[in-house]
Amino acid sequence: MTTPIALTIAGSDSSGGAGIQADLKTFSALGVYGASVIVALTAQNTRGVTAIHDAPAAFVTAQIDAVFDDLTVGAVKIGMVSQSATIEAIAAALEARAVVDVVADPVMVAASGARLLQEDAVETLKRRLIPRARLLTPNLPEAAALLGGATAGDEQEMAEQGRALQALGARAVLVKGGHAAGADSVDVLVDEDGGVTRFVAERHVTRNTHGTGCTMSSAIAAEIAKGRSLIEAVATAKAYVSAAIAAADDLTIGAGHGPVHHFHAWWPARR
């Protein structure tokens, strides 16, 4: 049997709740071997981001080349990319290797409010990275920011924004409804054939949601690496993230927005 491998290209979170660390935890929890390309170091904890140190674009390329020269990667997740040069390097490397199973999470602002994507890099993201994505996974504010419009107010508007983002080149778009109100959290997928599928989970009220978006996109990439269809991958990822959020309050990590519990199925947080 071939070991399923997923690659995360993202920033490091020194507190371990989001970014590369969340991605690798998610891959492991879902039975997938995780490789990583670190595009930036962040100094952050549950209360916020205090500093960002970007890796040189050439070194990002070197990391991608090293992984693909040796490992059989089944899917790629792209998270935080803060500057245009990094985006250009990633896009060029993926194009050179004809990588098609890319899940791109347009991480623009951290949960603490810190800006993670430089303003002058937004257009580069839209022009170079979004067209490389098999699936784009924006939350409601990110979808609105990418389109320069208002936040979607209902599922119909979420689907409309998904189609508008498809027009930028993404083959499919999952607009995540975690920032909305209501008893349920609803995500809307506009798939490669133009079909619309809604994914529903009970909304769990907690402040411990650090890394939720990273976890969702990496969970989808993990399932794609295992050979799942896009709809199967999103459904499994949605259930996993919902359970991780439900168990988040069992953890006591930091004084701010704590992480979700990636390993809720393997070890209880309270003893």
Side-chain angles (χ1 to χ4, degrees), residues 32-74:
V32 172
Y33 182 86
S36 63
V37 169
I38 299 177
V39 304
L41 303 176
T42 69
Q44 69 174 293
N45 53 33
T46 64
R47 293 177 293 183
V49 179
T50 56
I52 298 174
H53 179 71
D54 290 297
F59 188 67
V60 172
T61 300
Q63 292 178 78
I64 295 173
D65 288 343
V67 171
F68 278 95
D69 283 346
D70 186 38
L71 277 59
T72 303
V73 176

Side-chain angles (χ1 to χ4, degrees), residues 116-135:
L116 299 177
L117 178 66
Q118 296 174 7
E119 289 190 29
D120 63 358
V122 175
E123 289 304 314
T124 310
L125 179 78
K126 292 163 67 173
R127 177 176 54 84
R128 294 288 284 140
L129 212 51
I130 289 179
R132 299 300 313 165
R134 178 180 179 188
L135 178 67

Side-chain angles (χ1 to χ4, degrees), residues 36-264:
S36 63
V37 169
I38 299 177
V39 304
L41 303 176
T42 69
Q44 69 174 293
N45 53 33
T46 64
R47 293 177 293 183
V49 179
T50 56
I52 298 174
H53 179 71
D54 290 297
F59 188 67
V60 172
T61 300
Q63 292 178 78
I64 295 173
D65 288 343
V67 171
F68 278 95
D69 283 346
D70 186 38
L71 277 59
T72 303
V73 176
V76 175
K77 173 262 171 76
I78 302 175
M80 171 195 168
V81 284
S82 65
Q83 57 181 359
S84 290
T86 302
I87 295 170
E88 293 280 5
I90 294 168
L94 296 179
E95 288 169 3
R97 296 179 181 274
V99 179
V100 295
D101 286 318
V102 176
V103 179
D105 186 22
V107 182
M108 303 176 77
V109 179
S112 63
R115 187 170 188 90
L116 299 177
L117 178 66
Q118 296 174 7
E119 289 190 29
D120 63 358
V122 175
E123 289 304 314
T124 310
L125 179 78
K126 292 163 67 173
R127 177 176 54 84
R128 294 288 284 140
L129 212 51
I130 289 179
R132 299 300 313 165
R134 178 180 179 188
L135 178 67
L136 184 70
T137 63
N139 59 32
L140 292 175
E142 289 163 349
L146 288 170
L147 294 170
T151 302
D154 56 33
E155 292 179 38
Q156 180 179 342
E157 291 181 354
M158 291 168 71
E160 290 171 354
Q161 290 192 350
R163 292 192 182 95
L165 289 168
Q166 269 186 319
L168 296 179
R171 288 159 58 194
V173 179
L174 180 70
V175 180
K176 300 175 296 186
H179 286 74
D184 293 327
S185 172
V186 181
D187 300 342
V188 174
L189 172 69
V190 182
D191 65 32
E192 294 146 317
D193 298 319
V196 176
T197 306
R198 62 196 301 267
F199 299 86
V200 184
E202 179 185 357
R203 187 180 302 280
H204 302 285
V205 180
T206 174
R207 71 173 184 170
N208 296 322
T209 55
H210 183 53
T212 305
C214 302
T215 300
M216 182 67 176
S217 55
S218 56
I220 296 170
E223 293 302 308
I224 291 174
K226 288 154 67 173
R228 305 289 189 261
S229 70
L230 187 58
I231 289 179
E232 289 173 333
V234 174
T236 301
K238 179 75 170 177
Y240 168 73
V241 171
S242 180
I245 295 172
D249 286 353
D250 290 345
L251 298 172
T252 51
I253 308 296
H257 295 281
V260 302
H261 190 357
H262 293 92
F263 296 112
H264 57 273

Side-chain angles (χ1 to χ4, degrees), residues 1-37:
M1 293 180 62
T2 301
T3 302
I5 300 173
L7 168 65
T8 170
I9 304 175
S12 169
D13 172 4
S14 53
S15 71
I20 289 284
Q21 288 80 355
D23 297 340
L24 294 177
K25 290 174 184 177
T26 301
F27 293 161
S28 295
L30 294 175
V32 172
Y33 182 86
S36 63
V37 169

